[in-house]
């Protein structure tokens, strides 16, 4: 049977060897000298060989046996390996190292997360982050397939995703986005029926109008554009208008307007989604807690 070597005993052995005495090692370990002697004796019993020569009364120095000289670098290697693992686990629990994977819908990915992630990783230079930006269906699929630790998307039908849990964080109002020279651009609020007179471009978020009185607009749209960059380019070119949540509106735009949809007033709830039967890794849980903390301000 292999001996069970305790790291504490290995440390005592190395200290006695390097400091050339039990008394000095006891001071370093904040233990009594008899306690260190007992620790070394137990280690020798486990190894089946003596580690130190008998004390030299003239020099009062402690010398290693040939076996002890052979074992010393091995003991140091074991201690270093133990300390590396212990440090890695400590850093992982403090989200300062490891690999964090998350996915988010584009609106939150571009408008909210950059500032949050910048603050979060400022004290975690060794933390590696993989960040995926995709539509809500893709985010849910990545969570389901465990490709990411958690996702950020809008509220979904729980009966369709019973294996997931949703934590709401943000609310996002739906509005009409059009060029600044569009006939509707000067309005402060819009009734959905007014949109029938103009070219409407639908997009991935248009489904938010389902089950509302504005649902007929979905059949009125002649064009569908799924990519947000392409959609914004078409809007800026004056191709038409669309409906978007506020967070999806490019806030730096100088050519587009956002007008709240007043009738019906539609809001979407956005939050964190994760598998209900899986615990998050320490870095992922730390980021979730950080997001929740930031959202309280």
């Amino acid at each position: 049977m292999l001996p069970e070597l305790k790291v504490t005993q290995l440390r005592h052995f190395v200290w006695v060897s390097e400091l050339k005495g039990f008394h000095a090692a006891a001071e370093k370990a904040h233990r009594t000298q008899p306690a260190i002697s007992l620790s070394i004796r137990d280690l020798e019993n486990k190894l089946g060989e003596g580690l130190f020569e008998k004390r030299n009364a003239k020099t009062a120095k402690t010398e290693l046996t040939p076996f002890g000289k052979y074992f010393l670098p091995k003991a140091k290697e074991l201690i270093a390996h133990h300390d590396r693992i212990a440090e890695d686990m400590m850093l992982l629990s403090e989200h300062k190292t490891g690999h964090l994977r998350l996915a988010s819908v584009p609106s939150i990915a571009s408008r909210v997360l950059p500032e949050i992630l910048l603050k979060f990783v400022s004290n975690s230079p060794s933390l590696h982050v993989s960040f995926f930006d995709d539509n809500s269906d893709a985010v849910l699929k990545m969570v389901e397939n465990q490709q990411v630790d958690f996702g950020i998307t809008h509220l979904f039908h729980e009966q369709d995703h019973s294996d997931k849990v949703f934590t709401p964080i943000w609310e996002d109002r739906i509005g009409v986005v059009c060029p600044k020279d569009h006939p509707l651009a000067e309005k402060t609020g819009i009734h959905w029926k007014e949109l029938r007179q103009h070219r409407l471009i639908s997009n991935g978020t248009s489904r938010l109008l389902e089950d509302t009185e504005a649902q007929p607009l979905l059949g009125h749209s002649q064009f569908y554009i799924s990519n947000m960059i392409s959609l914004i380019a078409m809007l800026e070119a004056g191709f038409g208008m669309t409906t978007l949540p506020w967070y999806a509106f490019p806030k730096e735009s100088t050519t587009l307007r956002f007008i709240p949809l007043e009738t019906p007033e539609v809001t979407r709830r956005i939050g964190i989604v994760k598998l209900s039967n899986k615990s998050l890794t320490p870095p992922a849980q730390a980021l979730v807690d950080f997001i929740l903390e930031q959202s309280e301000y």
Side-chain angles (χ1 to χ4, degrees), residues 113-141:
L113 284 182
E115 183 178 353
I116 289 177
L117 285 175
L118 182 62
K119 291 179 181 178
F120 180 74
V121 302
S122 61
N123 294 322
S124 307
S126 299
L127 178 64
H128 182 71
V129 180
S130 294
F131 183 23
F132 303 92
D133 172 348
D134 215 324
N135 61 51
S136 58
D137 289 337
V139 169
L140 290 172
K141 199 68 176 177

Side-chain angles (χ1 to χ4, degrees), residues 23-247:
H23 179 71
E27 288 186 342
K28 184 176 180 67
H30 304 289
R31 303 286 297 276
T32 64
Q33 185 170 326
I36 297 298
S37 298
L38 183 62
S39 177
I40 297 298
R41 192 178 307 121
D42 186 50
L43 179 59
E44 289 176 327
N45 289 336
K46 290 177 178 178
L47 295 171
E49 291 283 348
L51 295 169
F52 295 100
E53 302 284 5
K54 291 184 179 180
R55 297 286 297 276
N56 187 324
K58 293 182 178 180
T59 63
K61 289 185 177 180
T62 303
E63 301 292 339
L64 289 169
T65 64
F67 180 82
K69 291 177 181 178
Y70 175 82
F71 183 62
L72 180 60
K74 307 291 185 183
K76 289 181 177 179
E77 184 180 343
L78 287 171
I79 293 170
H81 182 66
H82 168 275
D83 290 350
R84 281 195 301 271
I85 292 176
E87 183 180 24
D88 286 348
M89 293 302 99
M90 180 188 70
L91 291 173
L92 182 62
S93 68
E94 295 176 354
H95 67 273
K96 293 181 179 178
T97 191
H99 192 175
L100 169 62
R101 299 173 179 84
L102 71 149
S104 172
V105 290
S107 54
I108 299 301
S110 60
R111 289 282 295 270
V112 179
L113 284 182
E115 183 178 353
I116 289 177
L117 285 175
L118 182 62
K119 291 179 181 178
F120 180 74
V121 302
S122 61
N123 294 322
S124 307
S126 299
L127 178 64
H128 182 71
V129 180
S130 294
F131 183 23
F132 303 92
D133 172 348
D134 215 324
N135 61 51
S136 58
D137 289 337
V139 169
L140 290 172
K141 199 68 176 177
M142 281 188 275
V143 171
E144 183 177 322
N145 294 335
Q146 299 184 52
Q147 295 172 267
V148 293
D149 296 301
F150 67 89
I152 296 176
T153 185
H154 55 75
L155 182 62
F156 47 83
H157 295 295
E158 293 184 359
Q159 62 267 27
D160 297 332
H161 298 277
S162 58
D163 59 333
K164 303 177 187 69
V165 59
F166 178 83
T167 303
I169 298 179
W170 303 280
E171 282 198 355
D172 202 7
R173 187 172 182 181
I174 306 302
V176 175
V177 178
C178 62
K180 283 194 171 181
D181 58 356
H182 193 276
L184 298 175
E186 298 304 317
K187 287 184 170 289
T188 57
I190 292 180
H191 191 290
W192 73 270
K193 290 183 178 180
E194 296 179 74
L195 304 181
R196 285 178 159 175
Q197 308 169 33
H198 306 277
R199 179 185 288 154
L200 181 65
I201 307 170
S202 63
N203 60 78
T205 67
S206 298
R207 71 178 69 178
L208 296 170
L209 298 179
E210 293 177 354
D211 302 322
T212 74
E213 62 179 283
Q215 184 167 342
L217 286 175
L218 300 178
H220 176 72
S221 174
Q222 183 181 1
F223 297 91
Y224 175 86
I225 302 178
S226 62
N227 182 275
M228 189 58 62
I229 295 176
S230 299
L231 175 63
I232 297 303
M234 294 293 279
L235 293 172
E236 289 178 335
F239 195 77
M241 61 179 181
T242 192
T243 58
L244 281 176
W246 168 245
Y247 280 126

